[in-house]
């Protein structure tokens, strides 16, 4: 972090470790923010296999979240992009697509049958009832896909799964599912410079885009872990490697895996007894 900038981190905490809250995906990716009361009452156990070890990861515009995700993937981590799931479940042929057309009309469709995200976004803008309706259509489908993807990684023996959620801290309902939360942080000057260079924006336009989001320093206060991407990329990459090692060696996952293995062993033993009883001749 630049020496001239005041540290956003509490005095008792440092990058790579603190705690608080979470959020959920927008109905069509980052189309619109989602209000907490828009979710159905879905219990954590209906989404996760037991106490599945989930890590919610977020950042801010031009903070470097995508680059951090790439490092986690290079390390062999399981990553689920919730925005991709949100786009996937509204494709033609899926239940959510049909219900959106029934609820909002064919004017929300492009010529190829896909949902026109801009038109639908305009329809629900500043209209809580319509937004709630859209959420009630898409969120159950998003949860189903999250559950499927998470369970696939669970069966393959992954210790934890990262959920890449852009609005992690803006909304609250995924808090109950997350064991850890991670924010990719950079200081305001660095964020502004990167955004102006990356998107070829004026300073005024870049500042407006940053102000439209929850400040990174606020996300820092709510996260379990902070990856400070204000300086050299090699330093950030080392933080990612260290965090992965910390999560990978966590014992939080062990009781769940042992329980599953014990259950499978019991099922195998029962099947063996049944087969020997019915297939082998009596003495």
């Amino acid at each position: 972090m630049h020496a001239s900038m005041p540290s956003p981190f509490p005095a008792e905490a440092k990058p790579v470790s603190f705690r608080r809250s979470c959020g959920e995906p927008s109905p069509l990716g980052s189309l619109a923010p989602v209000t907490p009361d828009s979710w159905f009452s879905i219990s954590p156990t209906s989404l996760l296999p037991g106490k599945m070890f989930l890590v919610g990861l977020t950042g801010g515009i031009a903070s470097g979240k995508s680059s951090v995700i790439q490092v986690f993937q290079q390390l062999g981590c399981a990553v689920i992009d919730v925005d991709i799931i949100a786009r996937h479940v509204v494709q033609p042929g899926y239940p959510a697509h049909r219900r959106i057309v029934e609820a909002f009309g064919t004017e929300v469709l492009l010529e190829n049958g896909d949902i026109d995200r801009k038109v639908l976004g305009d329809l629900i803008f500043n209209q809580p009832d319509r937004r709630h309706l859209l959420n009630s259509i898409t969120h159950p489908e998003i949860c189903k896909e999250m559950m499927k993807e998470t369970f696939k990684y669970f069966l393959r023996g992954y210790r934890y799964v990262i959920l890449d959620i852009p609005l992690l801290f803006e909304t609250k309902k995924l808090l109950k599912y997350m064991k850890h939360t991670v924010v990719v942080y950079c200081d305001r000057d660095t964020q502004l410079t990167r955004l102006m260079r990356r998107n070829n924006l004026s300073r005024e336009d870049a500042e407006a885009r940053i102000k439209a989001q929850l400040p990174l320093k606020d996300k820092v206060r709510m996260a379990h872990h902070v990856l400070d991407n204000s300086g050299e990329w090699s330093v950030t990459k080392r933080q990612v490697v260290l965090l992965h090692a910390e999560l990978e060696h966590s014992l939080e996952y062990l009781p769940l895996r042992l329980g599953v293995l014990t259950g499978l062993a019991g099922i195998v033993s029962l099947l063996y007894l049944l087969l020997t009883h019915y297939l082998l001749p009596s003495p």
Side-chain angles (χ1 to χ4, degrees):
M1 195 179 301
H2 299 318
S4 60
M5 296 293 293
S7 173
F9 307 117
E12 69 277 6
K14 293 184 179 177
V16 198
S17 231
F18 12 7
R19 298 193 178 243
R20 291 215 173 95
S21 65
C22 275
E24 89 235 17
S26 180
L28 293 177
S30 298
L31 179 67
V34 182
T35 54
D37 58 359
S38 64
W39 275 77
F40 288 118
S41 296
I42 303 176
S43 68
T45 53
S46 68
L47 178 64
L48 309 175
K51 296 181 180 178
M52 187 64 185
F53 187 170
L54 294 185
V55 178
L57 186 144
T58 193
I61 188 169
S63 71
K65 177 173 68 72
S66 297
S67 298
V68 166
I69 286 288
Q70 289 178 4
V71 177
F72 275 116
Q73 290 174 324
Q74 291 166 4
L75 291 170
C77 299
V79 178
I80 297 174
D81 189 324
V82 177
D83 256 4
I84 290 177
I85 290 178
R87 290 176 172 85
H88 176 75
V89 299
V90 297
Q91 290 180 342
Y94 287 84
H97 180 278
R98 175 180 52 80
R99 292 186 60 200
I100 288 172
V101 175
E102 290 174 353
F104 296 94
T106 55
E107 65 265 28
V108 301
L109 294 179
L110 296 169
E111 290 184 3
N112 64 359
D114 288 344
I115 299 293
D116 189 325
R117 295 164 57 83
K118 183 180 184 307
V119 170
L120 186 55
D122 290 341
L123 284 176
I124 66 172
F125 185 71
N126 284 337
Q127 297 196 49
D129 290 344
R130 285 195 163 193
R131 179 172 302 188
H132 179 81
L133 175 59
L134 179 60
N135 291 338
S136 70
I137 292 171
T138 59
H139 286 171
E141 300 302 320
I142 292 171
C143 279
K144 288 177 188 176
E145 290 300 315
M146 284 174 58
M147 179 175 64
K148 281 194 247 179
E149 293 301 312
T150 300
F151 198 70
K152 286 178 187 176
Y153 287 123
F154 169 75
L155 292 178
R156 290 167 62 185
Y158 281 84
R159 189 172 296 276
Y160 67 94
V161 177
I162 296 171
L163 293 178
D164 176 3
I165 309 175
L167 299 178
L168 186 62
F169 295 108
E170 285 77 353
T171 53
K172 305 297 180 184
K173 284 295 180 178
L174 283 188
L175 171 61
K176 65 183 76 172
Y177 306 121
M178 301 298 155
K179 188 67 179 176
H180 296 269
T181 56
V182 181
V183 64
V184 181
Y185 168 85
C186 68
D187 63 70
R188 178 64 178 264
D189 286 349
T190 300
Q191 186 182 21
L192 185 62
T193 301
R194 288 175 181 168
L195 183 56
M196 291 169 62
R197 185 187 306 123
R198 188 189 74 181
N199 291 26
N200 195 26
L201 296 174
S202 67
R203 185 180 186 88
E204 183 180 0
D205 288 342
E207 286 180 340
R209 294 198 184 192
I210 292 173
K211 287 179 181 177
Q213 297 185 340
L214 183 68
L216 279 170
K217 63 181 181 180
D218 292 346
K219 297 182 182 183
V220 161
R221 296 190 187 101
M222 295 186 284
H224 292 83
H225 308 279
V226 177
L227 299 171
D228 187 0
N229 190 33
S230 301
E232 295 294 327
W233 172 241
S234 59
V235 176
T236 303
K237 189 172 181 179
R238 176 171 172 76
Q239 291 178 59
V240 177
V241 172
L242 291 174
L243 177 58
H244 169 61
E246 178 183 336
L247 296 173
E248 186 68 17
H249 291 90
S250 169
L251 295 178
E252 293 163 341
Y253 187 68
L254 186 59
L256 174 61
R257 293 299 299 174
L258 291 177
V260 170
L261 292 174
T262 302
L264 289 175
I267 292 172
V268 171
S269 299
L270 179 60
L271 289 174
Y272 176 77
L273 291 174
L274 290 173
L275 288 173
T276 54
H277 177 74
Y278 287 105
L279 297 182
L280 297 178
S282 301

